[in-house]
Amino acid sequence: MTWFSLSVKRWSRIIQFLSLFCVCLFLVVSCTRPQSTTPPSGSVNSPTGDGRITIGTTAKPRTLDPADAYELAALGLVFNMSDRLYNYEPGSTEIKPQLATALPKVSQDGLTYTIPLRQGVVFHDGTPFNAQAMAFTIQRFIENKGKPSFLLGDIVDSVKATGEYELSIQLKKPFAAFPALLAFPGVCAVSPKAYEVGAGKFKPNIFVGTGPYKLAQYGTDSLRFDVFDKYWGEKPANNGVNVQIQTSPVNLFNAFRTGAVDVAYLSLQPDQTRSLEEGGKKGDWQAIAAQGSVVSYMVLNRNQQPLDKAEVRQAIASIVDRPLINERVLLGQANPLYSMIPTTFNVSVPLFKDKYGDANFEQAKQLLTTAGFSKQNPAKVQIWYPSSSPTRSLAAQTLKSLVDAKMDGILQFEVAVAEGPAFFKDISRGLYPVALLDWYPDFLDPDNYVQPFLYCEKGSAAKGCQEGGSQTQGSFYYNETVNKLINEQRKEQNPQTRQKIFTEIQNQVITDVPYVPLWQNKDYVFARNGVSNVQLNPTQILVYQTIKK
């Protein structure tokens, strides 16, 4: 994965975290100017009694063009107006055909994917859907050079219609996770009559796809989705959706509590989430939690002393107290994570728990003593985090408190903060011994939690990684065996064989410890009583089609 994709991923979340610093101001505003809960009937800005659903969010989309949408705010909206070749069932990372009628037929060399397509589908503008239209969509996604274009551009060599309803995609190199890429929300069918191919030729204010909803209104603070009456699949359980874009978490919190919105999702602060959870337990409304796919972790830079010693990295893995961090920092709104591959996938093995446990201070002291450290000669380590993340700030302070209280001075942590732009730039330059980061996957396959972290295109055991994923992430990890294993799993089509390869990779990681996994997020959505079938898909997207009231 390129640094560009990493920085975009980070920035998409930095924007959300910035709102935390404005809480006091917004609280004052919300108290002096309460949000109206009784706009005119049928307005986009209020729940209605006509079977339409009103959804509240703070996630403001930058664009609705799927070839340029790379933030969750935009992808969630695109997802609900579109169809892709493949889709996920809520609660599952297994893909199923959507505009395709079967899983791809893969050539023996792993390079050619042949996909049969659904017939009788039309776009919102009446244009028929066929293989030519899908080929146009994929070519546009790559050639328009939008923010997510690398996802297919780095993998796809060519795409063409080999029949009216048959698509053939040729890859540059084998990639077993390719079908999961085709489920990315931005790789959705778009009308050839409404869009054009060409670098930078985007249409951010419209959407013309094949999905269950048509875009009826797109404003700065609201959107209106109407049911597409010619939709080929199961019709929505509602009569349409109104989306309210709130200016702050406080306003979203108040809008939900006062009944101004039917459903609230993205993004609330941890204390607001906890308050709404308590209300859900009392029956005031519904609190729905789902296992998320975002992971948080520590990067350990093997090119900086004293982290050049494996025993020091292993000692740090031993002192981490995940249950304590979950309680104090995250208010129980996450799950402890013991592998870089989250529990979302059956290939995840909790090897960090087996080998290091939590708060294993005696083991950490023994490891540091073996490495030559003592009270008189302590191992001193800086932990860095971005100023835009109060959660990671508190996590860093919690880790420092643990070390101060339990490690008898043999290990010493210093907490340091950097401004967001400098932080994400300087990680790949190797300036930070330890850094706290989040990872938002591009697509749901274990590969996306392994290759971007561990693969190194250019490097050596002596100098570490000079070019590749681990250099971008700031660990500078280099292991030729792991490189080979990553390439093997990318080529391997047999799921059982691939699972064994992922286990080998995870076993190597617990020995080398280039990263320490910390937690896996939970996603929360809140719904008023009387609203049913509220579901999140595994990519954190709220599914509008099933919601009913």
Side-chain angles (χ1 to χ4, degrees), residues 226-243:
D226 288 347
V227 173
F228 179 38
D229 58 4
K230 294 181 180 178
Y231 185 56
W232 61 269
E234 185 175 348
K235 296 294 189 291
N238 50 67
N239 292 333
V241 172
N242 303 330
V243 179

PDB file of all heavy atoms in Angstrom, residues 226-243:
ATOM      1  N   ASP A 226     -34.607   8.835  -2.501  1.00  0.00           N
ATOM      2  CA  ASP A 226     -35.920   8.281  -2.819  1.00  0.00           C
ATOM      3  C   ASP A 226     -35.763   6.865  -3.358  1.00  0.00           C
ATOM      4  O   ASP A 226     -34.756   6.528  -3.984  1.00  0.00           O
ATOM      5  CB  ASP A 226     -36.636   9.152  -3.867  1.00  0.00           C
ATOM      6  CG  ASP A 226     -37.101  10.487  -3.290  1.00  0.00           C
ATOM      7  OD1 ASP A 226     -37.102  10.637  -2.052  1.00  0.00           O
ATOM      8  OD2 ASP A 226     -37.443  11.388  -4.084  1.00  0.00           O
ATOM      9  N   VAL A 227     -36.778   6.047  -3.130  1.00  0.00           N
ATOM     10  CA  VAL A 227     -36.743   4.664  -3.588  1.00  0.00           C
ATOM     11  C   VAL A 227     -36.726   4.627  -5.120  1.00  0.00           C
ATOM     12  O   VAL A 227     -37.494   5.336  -5.775  1.00  0.00           O
ATOM     13  CB  VAL A 227     -37.949   3.881  -3.033  1.00  0.00           C
ATOM     14  CG1 VAL A 227     -38.010   2.483  -3.642  1.00  0.00           C
ATOM     15  CG2 VAL A 227     -37.864   3.793  -1.518  1.00  0.00           C
ATOM     16  N   PHE A 228     -35.845   3.815  -5.687  1.00  0.00           N
ATOM     17  CA  PHE A 228     -35.763   3.631  -7.139  1.00  0.00           C
ATOM     18  C   PHE A 228     -36.788   2.570  -7.549  1.00  0.00           C
ATOM     19  O   PHE A 228     -36.641   1.395  -7.225  1.00  0.00           O
ATOM     20  CB  PHE A 228     -34.347   3.208  -7.515  1.00  0.00           C
ATOM     21  CG  PHE A 228     -34.132   2.963  -8.982  1.00  0.00           C
ATOM     22  CD1 PHE A 228     -34.747   3.761  -9.950  1.00  0.00           C
ATOM     23  CD2 PHE A 228     -33.305   1.933  -9.414  1.00  0.00           C
ATOM     24  CE1 PHE A 228     -34.547   3.535 -11.300  1.00  0.00           C
ATOM     25  CE2 PHE A 228     -33.094   1.692 -10.762  1.00  0.00           C
ATOM     26  CZ  PHE A 228     -33.723   2.503 -11.715  1.00  0.00           C
ATOM     27  N   ASP A 229     -37.830   3.003  -8.243  1.00  0.00           N
ATOM     28  CA  ASP A 229     -38.957   2.099  -8.503  1.00  0.00           C
ATOM     29  C   ASP A 229     -38.639   1.007  -9.529  1.00  0.00           C
ATOM     30  O   ASP A 229     -39.392   0.040  -9.662  1.00  0.00           O
ATOM     31  CB  ASP A 229     -40.197   2.893  -8.942  1.00  0.00           C
ATOM     32  CG  ASP A 229     -39.951   3.738 -10.184  1.00  0.00           C
ATOM     33  OD1 ASP A 229     -38.840   3.666 -10.758  1.00  0.00           O
ATOM     34  OD2 ASP A 229     -40.874   4.474 -10.586  1.00  0.00           O
ATOM     35  N   LYS A 230     -37.514   1.122 -10.225  1.00  0.00           N
ATOM     36  CA  LYS A 230     -37.139   0.084 -11.200  1.00  0.00           C
ATOM     37  C   LYS A 230     -35.982  -0.774 -10.697  1.00  0.00           C
ATOM     38  O   LYS A 230     -35.282  -1.419 -11.474  1.00  0.00           O
ATOM     39  CB  LYS A 230     -36.766   0.725 -12.541  1.00  0.00           C
ATOM     40  CG  LYS A 230     -37.940   1.417 -13.225  1.00  0.00           C
ATOM     41  CD  LYS A 230     -37.530   2.010 -14.563  1.00  0.00           C
ATOM     42  CE  LYS A 230     -38.705   2.710 -15.242  1.00  0.00           C
ATOM     43  NZ  LYS A 230     -38.305   3.333 -16.528  1.00  0.00           N
ATOM     44  N   TYR A 231     -35.799  -0.777  -9.380  1.00  0.00           N
ATOM     45  CA  TYR A 231     -34.698  -1.557  -8.825  1.00  0.00           C
ATOM     46  C   TYR A 231     -34.918  -3.037  -9.057  1.00  0.00           C
ATOM     47  O   TYR A 231     -36.007  -3.562  -8.841  1.00  0.00           O
ATOM     48  CB  TYR A 231     -34.542  -1.271  -7.330  1.00  0.00           C
ATOM     49  CG  TYR A 231     -33.349  -1.952  -6.704  1.00  0.00           C
ATOM     50  CD1 TYR A 231     -32.074  -1.742  -7.213  1.00  0.00           C
ATOM     51  CD2 TYR A 231     -33.490  -2.807  -5.613  1.00  0.00           C
ATOM     52  CE1 TYR A 231     -30.968  -2.362  -6.664  1.00  0.00           C
ATOM     53  CE2 TYR A 231     -32.388  -3.433  -5.040  1.00  0.00           C
ATOM     54  CZ  TYR A 231     -31.120  -3.207  -5.572  1.00  0.00           C
ATOM     55  OH  TYR A 231     -30.032  -3.830  -5.025  1.00  0.00           O
ATOM     56  N   TRP A 232     -33.876  -3.734  -9.468  1.00  0.00           N
ATOM     57  CA  TRP A 232     -33.970  -5.142  -9.848  1.00  0.00           C
ATOM     58  C   TRP A 232     -34.137  -6.065  -8.639  1.00  0.00           C
ATOM     59  O   TRP A 232     -34.695  -7.156  -8.768  1.00  0.00           O
ATOM     60  CB  TRP A 232     -32.718  -5.568 -10.608  1.00  0.00           C
ATOM     61  CG  TRP A 232     -31.459  -5.425  -9.783  1.00  0.00           C
ATOM     62  CD1 TRP A 232     -30.643  -4.338  -9.715  1.00  0.00           C
ATOM     63  CD2 TRP A 232     -30.896  -6.397  -8.902  1.00  0.00           C
ATOM     64  NE1 TRP A 232     -29.603  -4.547  -8.845  1.00  0.00           N
ATOM     65  CE2 TRP A 232     -29.723  -5.823  -8.340  1.00  0.00           C
ATOM     66  CE3 TRP A 232     -31.237  -7.697  -8.528  1.00  0.00           C
ATOM     67  CZ2 TRP A 232     -28.914  -6.496  -7.419  1.00  0.00           C
ATOM     68  CZ3 TRP A 232     -30.428  -8.375  -7.613  1.00  0.00           C
ATOM     69  CH2 TRP A 232     -29.288  -7.778  -7.072  1.00  0.00           C
ATOM     70  N   GLY A 233     -33.638  -5.634  -7.483  1.00  0.00           N
ATOM     71  CA  GLY A 233     -33.602  -6.510  -6.308  1.00  0.00           C
ATOM     72  C   GLY A 233     -34.735  -6.227  -5.335  1.00  0.00           C
ATOM     73  O   GLY A 233     -35.756  -5.639  -5.680  1.00  0.00           O
ATOM     74  N   GLU A 234     -34.511  -6.650  -4.111  1.00  0.00           N
ATOM     75  CA  GLU A 234     -35.522  -6.469  -3.064  1.00  0.00           C
ATOM     76  C   GLU A 234     -35.679  -4.990  -2.758  1.00  0.00           C
ATOM     77  O   GLU A 234     -34.715  -4.261  -2.542  1.00  0.00           O
ATOM     78  CB  GLU A 234     -35.103  -7.223  -1.803  1.00  0.00           C
ATOM     79  CG  GLU A 234     -36.148  -7.205  -0.705  1.00  0.00           C
ATOM     80  CD  GLU A 234     -35.748  -8.055   0.493  1.00  0.00           C
ATOM     81  OE1 GLU A 234     -34.772  -8.827   0.370  1.00  0.00           O
ATOM     82  OE2 GLU A 234     -36.407  -7.947   1.534  1.00  0.00           O
ATOM     83  N   LYS A 235     -36.921  -4.524  -2.755  1.00  0.00           N
ATOM     84  CA  LYS A 235     -37.189  -3.103  -2.510  1.00  0.00           C
ATOM     85  C   LYS A 235     -36.877  -2.743  -1.054  1.00  0.00           C
ATOM     86  O   LYS A 235     -36.989  -3.581  -0.154  1.00  0.00           O
ATOM     87  CB  LYS A 235     -38.661  -2.794  -2.815  1.00  0.00           C
ATOM     88  CG  LYS A 235     -39.043  -3.007  -4.282  1.00  0.00           C
ATOM     89  CD  LYS A 235     -38.335  -2.037  -5.202  1.00  0.00           C
ATOM     90  CE  LYS A 235     -38.871  -2.080  -6.628  1.00  0.00           C
ATOM     91  NZ  LYS A 235     -38.539  -3.343  -7.310  1.00  0.00           N
ATOM     92  N   PRO A 236     -36.511  -1.493  -0.788  1.00  0.00           N
ATOM     93  CA  PRO A 236     -36.255  -1.067   0.582  1.00  0.00           C
ATOM     94  C   PRO A 236     -37.475  -1.275   1.482  1.00  0.00           C
ATOM     95  O   PRO A 236     -38.619  -1.200   1.019  1.00  0.00           O
ATOM     96  CB  PRO A 236     -35.927   0.422   0.429  1.00  0.00           C
ATOM     97  CG  PRO A 236     -35.395   0.551  -0.958  1.00  0.00           C
ATOM     98  CD  PRO A 236     -36.195  -0.437  -1.771  1.00  0.00           C
ATOM     99  N   ALA A 237     -37.198  -1.495   2.762  1.00  0.00           N
ATOM    100  CA  ALA A 237     -38.269  -1.692   3.743  1.00  0.00           C
ATOM    101  C   ALA A 237     -38.879  -0.366   4.170  1.00  0.00           C
ATOM    102  O   ALA A 237     -39.855  -0.344   4.931  1.00  0.00           O
ATOM    103  CB  ALA A 237     -37.720  -2.437   4.958  1.00  0.00           C
ATOM    104  N   ASN A 238     -38.323   0.751   3.678  1.00  0.00           N
ATOM    105  CA  ASN A 238     -38.836   2.081   3.994  1.00  0.00           C
ATOM    106  C   ASN A 238     -39.218   2.800   2.711  1.00  0.00           C
ATOM    107  O   ASN A 238     -38.989   2.294   1.609  1.00  0.00           O
ATOM    108  CB  ASN A 238     -37.794   2.882   4.773  1.00  0.00           C
ATOM    109  CG  ASN A 238     -36.431   2.856   4.083  1.00  0.00           C
ATOM    110  OD1 ASN A 238     -36.261   3.403   2.996  1.00  0.00           O
ATOM    111  ND2 ASN A 238     -35.455   2.183   4.712  1.00  0.00           N
ATOM    112  N   ASN A 239     -39.774   3.990   2.852  1.00  0.00           N
ATOM    113  CA  ASN A 239     -40.201   4.775   1.696  1.00  0.00           C
ATOM    114  C   ASN A 239     -39.177   5.828   1.273  1.00  0.00           C
ATOM    115  O   ASN A 239     -39.490   6.733   0.493  1.00  0.00           O
ATOM    116  CB  ASN A 239     -41.547   5.452   1.980  1.00  0.00           C
ATOM    117  CG  ASN A 239     -42.672   4.441   2.092  1.00  0.00           C
ATOM    118  OD1 ASN A 239     -42.602   3.358   1.504  1.00  0.00           O
ATOM    119  ND2 ASN A 239     -43.694   4.778   2.854  1.00  0.00           N
ATOM    120  N   GLY A 240     -37.969   5.704   1.790  1.00  0.00           N
ATOM    121  CA  GLY A 240     -36.920   6.664   1.477  1.00  0.00           C
ATOM    122  C   GLY A 240     -36.180   7.063   2.733  1.00  0.00           C
ATOM    123  O   GLY A 240     -36.573   6.726   3.854  1.00  0.00           O
ATOM    124  N   VAL A 241     -35.086   7.802   2.537  1.00  0.00           N
ATOM    125  CA  VAL A 241     -34.222   8.174   3.655  1.00  0.00           C
ATOM    126  C   VAL A 241     -33.864   9.652   3.558  1.00  0.00           C
ATOM    127  O   VAL A 241     -33.511  10.157   2.489  1.00  0.00           O
ATOM    128  CB  VAL A 241     -32.932   7.323   3.654  1.00  0.00           C
ATOM    129  CG1 VAL A 241     -31.948   7.829   4.696  1.00  0.00           C
ATOM    130  CG2 VAL A 241     -33.260   5.853   3.899  1.00  0.00           C
ATOM    131  N   ASN A 242     -33.956  10.339   4.698  1.00  0.00           N
ATOM    132  CA  ASN A 242     -33.465  11.706   4.835  1.00  0.00           C
ATOM    133  C   ASN A 242     -32.213  11.658   5.709  1.00  0.00           C
ATOM    134  O   ASN A 242     -32.230  11.049   6.779  1.00  0.00           O
ATOM    135  CB  ASN A 242     -34.496  12.616   5.508  1.00  0.00           C
ATOM    136  CG  ASN A 242     -35.819  12.630   4.765  1.00  0.00           C
ATOM    137  OD1 ASN A 242     -35.860  12.461   3.555  1.00  0.00           O
ATOM    138  ND2 ASN A 242     -36.910  12.834   5.490  1.00  0.00           N
ATOM    139  N   VAL A 243     -31.141  12.282   5.253  1.00  0.00           N
ATOM    140  CA  VAL A 243     -29.893  12.312   6.011  1.00  0.00           C
ATOM    141  C   VAL A 243     -29.642  13.729   6.509  1.00  0.00           C
ATOM    142  O   VAL A 243     -29.580  14.667   5.721  1.00  0.00           O
ATOM    143  CB  VAL A 243     -28.706  11.844   5.151  1.00  0.00           C
ATOM    144  CG1 VAL A 243     -27.398  11.907   5.954  1.00  0.00           C
ATOM    145  CG2 VAL A 243     -28.932  10.415   4.647  1.00  0.00           C
TER     146      VAL A 243
END
